[in-house]
Amino acid sequence: MHREALAGNPNPSRHLQALHFLGALARINKLRARKSPPSRRATALGGRRITRAAYAAMAVAAGPRRAWSRAILLGLRRNSIAKPFLIKKRILKPHRELRDVGSRAEELRRLLPGARRMEFGSLLDETLNYIHHLTAQVGIMQKIADSLCK
Amino acid sequence: MSSAWTGRARATDDDIKELVAKLQSLLPEARRRSSGRTSAAKLLKETCSYIKSLQREVDDLSDRLSDLISAMDDNSAQAEIIRSLLS
């Protein structure tokens, strides 16, 4: 879980994540450039392509040892847009009475890619790592958006 | 964390306590309960809503980046993207 820290350098995976994402972004930009004036549909699809690139970058940086990153990489390889986090849909709220740890853990299992039948301890471990890469990705994208705004 | 962890051995109570503590410290200040005795269920609830908000942020930023990129002409977009790499 803290392999990077053990290696004495917490940064490698974050750099890898940023580089991978930037590369994907440059490719998406090239694809966009080839088409004639962008339609509204094209820009909506562009957003989805960028979302896919974001999760791909996270998964590559996390490596194949995580169930969530494997699930993402497999989903992308099948060229299917993984449903839980790439298609905007209303997430049904759990029934008010079911607020115990069990049902919360189930909710977490639905949120985390590849976690459907995961045992509780692994679930927490995966969650920590997933949040780590998610926050990194948000930071990367904010920086890029800021620099594109200048 | 014990090395048995990578063999997917079942987590001990101590392992879980450690993970719960780490999770609690990972949540942003506003979501953390000030009392030390947060129930596990509340912590998981905060974790779920934190993950959902992060995923929404990725979505929104993707749309924003898509708009920003399509608003620029090809050459300057490529240059800016590469410039971000160097900064």
Side-chain angles (χ1 to χ4, degrees), chain A residues 26-130:
Chain A
R27 279 193 296 271
I28 290 170
N29 183 47
K30 259 197 187 155
L31 278 169
R32 180 200 61 82
R34 284 210 207 111
K35 302 203 193 260
S36 50
S39 59
R40 294 193 77 200
R41 188 168 174 271
T43 28
L45 281 175
R48 286 237 252 154
R49 278 204 196 98
I50 293 177
T51 302
R52 265 170 50 155
Y55 284 99
M58 284 168 53
V60 165
R65 284 204 196 106
R66 294 288 171 184
W68 69 264
S69 54
R70 282 196 303 270
I72 290 177
L73 292 171
L74 265 170
L76 289 171
R77 201 173 300 157
R78 288 196 199 117
N79 207 25
S80 63
I81 300 182
K83 302 227 161 156
F85 45 89
L86 291 178
I87 295 182
K88 290 175 193 172
K89 64 176 182 182
R90 291 195 68 220
I91 297 170
L92 294 169
K93 297 213 156 92
H95 195 276
R96 287 204 130 233
E97 272 135 48
L98 301 171
R99 276 174 172 168
D100 62 339
V101 174
S103 56
R104 291 298 181 194
E106 274 312 302
E107 195 188 341
L108 194 53
R109 282 192 188 92
R110 283 197 299 270
L111 279 173
L112 225 61
R116 250 180 310 148
R117 265 165 288 185
M118 205 172 273
E119 174 268 319
F120 191 68
S122 310
L123 181 65
L124 293 183
D125 193 44
E126 290 268 319
T127 300
L128 278 165
N129 186 260
Y130 186 59

Side-chain angles (χ1 to χ4, degrees), chain A residues 1 19 26 29 32-33 43 47 51 55 88 99 104 107 111 121 125 128 130 135 138 141-142 147-148, chain B residues 5 10 19 22 26 41 45 47-48 50 52 55 57 59 62-63 66 69-70 74 77-78 80 84-85:
Chain A
M1 185 169 77
L19 281 172
N29 183 47
R32 180 200 61 82
T43 28
T51 302
Y55 284 99
K88 290 175 193 172
R99 276 174 172 168
R104 291 298 181 194
E107 195 188 341
L111 279 173
D125 193 44
L128 278 165
Y130 186 59
T135 49
V138 166
M141 292 169 88
Q142 269 168 353
S147 83
L148 285 180
Chain B
W5 194 244
R10 201 171 175 85
L19 288 168
K22 282 192 182 126
L26 202 60
K45 178 189 167 200
T47 305
C48 286
Y50 186 43
K52 278 187 251 182
Q55 288 175 343
E57 252 192 289
D59 254 351
S62 299
D63 288 337
S66 176
I69 289 177
S70 45
D74 316 335
Q78 289 284 102
E80 276 309 314
S84 325
L85 215 158

Side-chain angles (χ1 to χ4, degrees), chain B residues 2-22:
Chain B
S2 64
S3 57
W5 194 244
T6 49
R8 292 287 173 207
R10 201 171 175 85
T12 64
D13 283 348
D14 283 342
D15 288 338
I16 290 187
K17 271 194 201 143
E18 191 187 333
L19 288 168
V20 167
K22 282 192 182 126

